[in-house]
Amino acid sequence: MKDTTPIYFHSATYAHEHGELNQYRASHKANIACKEAIEQAIADNYRDNRLGPACVQQVLQQFDPDRIFYVLANTVRQKDYDGRISHDNKTWAQTIPVCEDKDGFGYDRNVYFVVDRSHTGLMDLFLTQARRECALAQEKPSVRDSLNKSAGQQAAHSDKPKMKKEQAR
């Protein structure tokens, strides 16, 4: 079953001040679960020095792309110093809004959902594959859109003879 918990884009302090702690906690818990799903998918699909093509799909079955990208953007930002992460992915991560979430002692709560049980290079490869797959999915029209479009074209073609007959009168 796919987790549909909305991403909470504010800090715990903000959530506390606005009576939204339940939403914050649910989102934070989902972020951690997503991180663990990414780590598990990498472990399950890394064989013979390759990350299998089913890796990203394994996580997409459990979480929406927005949550996956939120967790990955946070991971890349936390590991900005790491040279095993591609420049493209570091640049991409800066385009994803990730809320700064410090506790009362200045400790960053976002570290709880950093993909860190997997090798950084494999996490980077997973991110590249996820970005590519989601970009392709957005470019491809859905089957329903294709059917609607072709139905619309057929209707337009069936109207043309009627128009010619009406013009002939």
Side-chain angles (χ1 to χ4, degrees):
M1 191 161 127
K2 200 168 201 170
D3 184 312
T4 57
T5 306
I7 298 172
Y8 191 80
F9 290 102
H10 303 287
S11 68
T13 304
Y14 178 93
H16 178 70
E17 291 170 354
H18 292 85
E20 299 173 346
L21 274 174
N22 288 339
Q23 294 95 318
Y24 169 83
R25 287 181 180 135
S27 180
H28 194 73
K29 184 178 176 182
N31 290 341
I32 293 169
C34 182
K35 160 226 185 297
E36 291 169 352
I38 292 168
E39 292 169 343
Q40 189 61 52
I42 291 171
D44 291 348
N45 292 281
Y46 181 66
R47 300 286 178 268
D48 301 323
N49 291 327
R50 295 185 66 226
L51 193 57
C55 191
V56 173
Q57 288 304 314
Q58 182 175 327
V59 182
L60 282 170
Q61 289 175 357
Q62 300 172 61
F63 297 94
D64 289 330
D66 291 339
R67 168 108 31 222
I68 295 168
F69 289 139
Y70 187 79
V71 169
L72 290 169
N74 176 61
T75 298
V76 171
R77 287 176 174 206
Q78 295 282 337
K79 296 183 174 197
D80 190 51
Y81 61 88
D82 198 323
R84 296 171 289 188
I85 301 172
S86 72
H87 178 71
D88 285 345
N89 284 339
K90 286 181 180 180
T91 302
W92 167 85
Q94 295 304 318
T95 67
I96 305 298
V98 177
C99 175
E100 192 172 300
D101 190 15
K102 306 256 186 216
D103 66 13
F105 299 105
Y107 187 73
D108 190 355
R109 290 183 177 104
N110 290 347
V111 298
Y112 293 112
F113 57 95
V114 170
V115 177
D116 56 1
R117 282 190 323 164
S118 302
H119 187 278
T120 304
L122 292 175
M123 181 279 306
D124 183 62
L125 190 57
F126 177 91
L127 173 55
T128 301
Q129 286 180 2
R131 288 178 57 204
R132 185 179 309 124
E133 281 190 38
C134 288
L136 287 173
Q138 287 178 351
E139 288 176 10
K140 281 185 177 179
S142 71
V143 174
R144 178 181 291 162
D145 291 343
S146 298
L147 290 173
N148 288 340
K149 185 176 180 182
S150 65
Q153 289 174 346
Q154 288 175 354
H157 290 300
S158 65
D159 289 344
K160 286 181 183 178
K162 290 178 186 176
M163 290 173 51
K164 289 180 182 178
K165 288 179 185 176
E166 288 175 7
Q167 291 172 349
R169 290 184 193 173

